[in-house]
């Protein structure tokens, strides 16, 4: 555990007692702070009380008397669509609001490790895990934390030769009061979490803050969207500026540091010269264009950390993939079953639909803002869509007339129908294009249910 610095003898309140909240409370106590805790649910409060923390209802008048900082969990709204009542109370009391990421950066000692922060709409987890795999395969000591792996304050204090890779959501980058990463990665941007940021501009601003206020030594920027181009341009100071590494899945030219992929071939260019290339098409852990983009981002970060092309390529080829992200579940009678439950938005699902041919597509769930129109150009490979979720009929209608649909509602029915219909060469793909919370408590549980249903049949 990393003891939180700067609060010895002070009183700090923690709101939200899930994984990150409880870890923050323990780390604050280890650093000498007096910790007050609160959660809207009784189970979190009971857990904190069992660990010896004082539980105080932070919504009551005077609850913030003597408190210097409130540490909140990422899932709790702090501005849009409306601030949590405890956040408002902290504002009114003049109490600073922070999160565990801010506490992490303020608590690193003089022998600080190098830190790589990865953000974006899609591909954050794969890029982070892939970079971690590449580093550890070369014998380096690297830690994976944040939204993936362990809670960041649950790590032992890393040494100066170590590397910490943090996957960060917009919820985390927007609120952290201290951000001092060495390298930042921006994968891409597509509409997501718009209610939490009052629209796409607020969503991008939350991610941009990691670069604008973090001041990284190097930035790896996906430039396939205008927001990425804007960000890269803001960070560079000359046409040739090695502090910015541009990443693209399309044609990219110029004198700067570029990592691109075209028809499955990754290429690195510096000062107008190609310095490395790798064929990604036969790497089983990185199927499809979207994973090739992730490979480019991880390549750029690894190069910024000083690794050579051969070591990076070796790591790419041994990468096993992540659960629920284009995860191969089974192959039987010529039919492949793939779990991409992490495809919780339209852009991620569109990428998955482009990675396979002749798809039996399991989709549906809690729709996000923006509708499903972005999927329409990518439905050509779909033989039939098997729609799940409480609003399966509305989801199927939103797909339009371009794809044959079947209302299944639940996962067991969808998998059984896809299994019956599938022919050799087909891929049964779970890529929901929606959140899971209408039927599951997480995308992981949804993916696990898919895998269980497939195993029962195959």
């Amino acid at each position: 555990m990393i003891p939180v610095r700067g609060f010895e003898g002070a009183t700090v309140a923690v709101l939200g007692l899930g994984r990150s909240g409880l870890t923050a409370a323990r780390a604050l106590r280890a650093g000498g702070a007096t910790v007050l805790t609160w959660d809207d649910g009784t189970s979190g409060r009971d857990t904190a009380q069992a660990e010896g923390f004082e539980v105080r209802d932070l919504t009551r008048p005077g609850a913030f008397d003597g408190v210097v900082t409130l540490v909140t969990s990422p899932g709790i709204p702090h501005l849009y669509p409306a601030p949590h009542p405890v956040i408002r109370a902290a504002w009114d009391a003049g109490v600073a609001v922070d999160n565990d990421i801010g506490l992490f950066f303020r608590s690193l000692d003089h022998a600080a490790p190098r830190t790589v922060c990865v953000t974006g709409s899609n591909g954050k987890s794969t890029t982070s895990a892939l970079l971690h795999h590449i580093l550890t395969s070369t014998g380096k000591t690297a830690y994976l934390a944040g939204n993936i792996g362990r809670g960041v304050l649950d790590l032992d204090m890393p040494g100066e030769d170590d590397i910490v890779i943090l996957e960060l959501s917009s919820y985390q980058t927007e609120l952290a009061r201290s951000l001092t990463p060495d390298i930042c990665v921006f994968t891409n941007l597509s509409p997501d979490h718009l209610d939490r940021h009052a629209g796409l501009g607020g969503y991008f601003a939350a991610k941009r803050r990691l670069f604008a206020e973090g001041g990284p030594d190097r930035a790896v920027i996906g430039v396939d969207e205008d927001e990425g181009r804007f960000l890269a341009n803001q960070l560079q100071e000359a046409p040739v500026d090695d502090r910015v590494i541009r990443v693209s899945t399309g044609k990219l030219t110029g004198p700067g540091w570029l990592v691109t992929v075209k028809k499955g071939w990754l290429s690195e260019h510096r000062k107008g010269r190609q310095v490395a290339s790798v064929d990604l098409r036969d790497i089983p852990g990185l199927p499809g264009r979207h994973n090739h983009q992730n490979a480019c981002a991880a390549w750029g970060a690894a190069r910024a950390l000083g690794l050579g092309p051969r070591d990076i390529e070796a790591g790419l080829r041994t990468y096993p993939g992540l659960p629920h992200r284009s995860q191969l579940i089974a192959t039987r009678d010529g039919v492949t079953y793939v779990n991409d439950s992490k495809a919780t938005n339209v852009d991620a699902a569109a990428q998955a639909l482009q990675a396979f041919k002749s798809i039996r597509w399991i989709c549906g769930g809690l729709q996000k803002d923006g509708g499903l129109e972005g999927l329409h150009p990518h439905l050509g490979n779909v033989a039939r869509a098997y729609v799940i979720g409480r609003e399966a009929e509305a989801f199927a209608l939103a797909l339009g007339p371009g794809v044959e649909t079947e209302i299944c509602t639940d996962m067991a029915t969808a998998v059984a129908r896809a299994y019956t219909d599938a022919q050799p060469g087909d891929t049964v793909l779970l890529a929901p294009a929606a959140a899971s919370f209408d039927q599951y408590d997480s995308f992981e549980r949804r993916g696990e249910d898919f895998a269980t249903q497939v195993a029962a049949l195959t």
Side-chain angles (χ1 to χ4, degrees):
M1 176 170 291
I2 299 175
V4 174
R5 296 184 171 186
F7 295 106
E8 185 174 356
T11 300
V12 180
V14 175
L15 173 65
L17 300 173
R19 184 189 71 166
S20 66
L22 281 172
T23 300
R26 296 173 189 133
L28 283 160
R29 183 166 61 183
T34 298
V35 182
L36 309 177
T37 61
W38 181 250
D39 193 286
D40 292 335
T42 57
S43 61
R45 300 198 297 264
D46 290 344
T47 301
Q49 197 163 36
E51 293 194 24
F53 292 106
E54 179 182 344
V55 175
R56 178 186 292 184
D57 186 349
L58 297 175
T59 65
R60 292 183 176 180
F64 280 98
D65 291 350
V67 175
V68 298
T69 295
L70 171 67
V71 177
T72 183
S73 296
I76 297 173
H78 51 264
L79 187 55
Y80 302 111
H84 188 281
V86 172
I87 303 288
R88 285 190 184 276
W91 293 349
D92 293 342
V95 171
V97 181
D98 204 349
N99 62 18
D100 62 335
I101 303 302
L103 298 183
F104 166 77
F105 279 110
R106 71 176 289 161
S107 300
L108 295 177
D109 60 22
H110 65 281
R114 286 180 289 177
T115 56
V116 182
C117 292
V118 181
T119 194
S121 296
N122 299 307
K124 298 187 299 294
S125 296
T126 296
T127 298
S128 300
L130 178 56
L131 177 60
H132 179 262
H133 175 78
I134 291 168
L135 292 169
T136 55
S137 68
T138 65
K140 296 185 181 296
T141 301
Y143 301 91
L144 193 58
N147 273 358
I148 188 172
R150 301 164 66 181
V152 65
L153 293 172
D154 195 37
L155 301 173
D156 294 329
M157 181 65 78
E160 61 181 338
D161 294 327
D162 300 339
I163 301 167
V164 176
I165 303 159
L166 302 180
E167 181 202 331
L168 300 181
S169 72
S170 55
Y171 301 172
Q172 294 165 309
T173 58
E174 183 177 50
L175 195 59
R177 298 175 73 88
S178 178
L179 288 168
T180 55
D182 296 285
I183 297 168
C184 290
V185 179
F186 178 85
T187 58
N188 50 56
L189 194 85
S190 62
D192 205 358
H193 307 305
L194 300 187
D195 59 331
R196 275 291 296 266
H197 300 291
L200 188 62
Y203 177 51
F204 174 58
K207 294 186 177 296
R208 176 184 173 275
R209 185 172 179 271
L210 177 64
F211 299 81
E213 298 190 27
D217 296 330
R218 280 219 167 92
V220 180
I221 310 290
V223 295
D224 287 340
E225 297 85 31
D226 284 342
E227 291 85 356
R229 296 187 187 99
F230 171 84
L231 182 57
N233 182 266
Q234 281 207 316
L235 294 174
Q236 76 173 52
E237 294 190 1
V240 178
D241 188 341
D242 277 356
R243 294 175 303 169
V244 178
I245 304 174
R246 287 175 169 80
V247 169
S248 178
T249 57
K251 185 177 181 180
L252 193 61
T253 60
W257 196 344
L258 315 174
V259 183
T260 62
V261 65
K262 184 176 181 181
K263 296 183 179 180
W265 278 90
L266 181 152
S267 299
E268 178 186 355
H269 287 77
R270 296 186 71 173
K271 299 179 180 179
R273 294 178 53 252
Q274 180 173 297
V275 296
S277 66
V278 178
D279 186 356
L280 303 176
R281 294 171 297 177
D282 60 346
I283 299 179
L286 296 168
R289 181 173 177 266
H290 58 308
N291 277 312
H292 293 171
Q293 182 186 53
N294 299 333
C296 287
W299 181 285
R303 291 288 277 150
L305 288 166
L307 270 66
R310 289 185 179 179
D311 286 338
I312 301 173
E313 180 179 357
L316 293 176
R317 295 199 174 281
T318 57
Y319 176 63
L322 277 176
H324 315 297
R325 298 161 178 87
S326 296
Q327 178 189 13
L328 177 63
I329 296 297
T331 301
R332 180 174 178 178
D333 298 330
V335 178
T336 301
Y337 297 82
V338 175
N339 168 22
D340 201 5
S341 184
K342 185 60 171 68
T344 59
N345 59 43
V346 166
D347 187 66
Q351 297 290 346
L353 291 174
Q354 295 174 70
F356 306 98
K357 297 180 179 179
S358 188
I359 298 170
R360 303 286 172 176
W361 179 33
I362 299 177
C363 58
L366 191 62
Q367 284 194 56
K368 296 186 176 181
D369 292 343
L372 303 179
E373 289 79 8
L375 288 172
H376 294 171
H378 308 291
L379 299 177
N381 291 336
V382 177
R384 177 176 287 182
Y386 306 82
V387 188
I388 63 174
R390 294 178 185 173
E391 300 179 355
E393 291 187 12
F395 194 99
L397 285 172
L399 291 175
V403 60
E404 181 180 339
T405 61
E406 182 172 341
I407 307 301
C408 297
T409 306
D410 61 84
M411 185 69 74
T413 303
V415 173
R417 295 296 301 133
Y419 174 83
T420 300
D421 294 345
Q423 302 294 319
D426 286 356
T427 296
V428 176
L429 171 67
L430 171 65
S436 61
F437 302 120
D438 59 332
Q439 292 183 312
Y440 303 92
D441 62 6
S442 67
F443 72 83
E444 291 96 341
R445 296 291 179 268
R446 178 171 58 189
E448 289 164 3
D449 189 16
F450 172 75
T452 298
Q453 302 301 332
V454 169
L457 292 172
T458 59

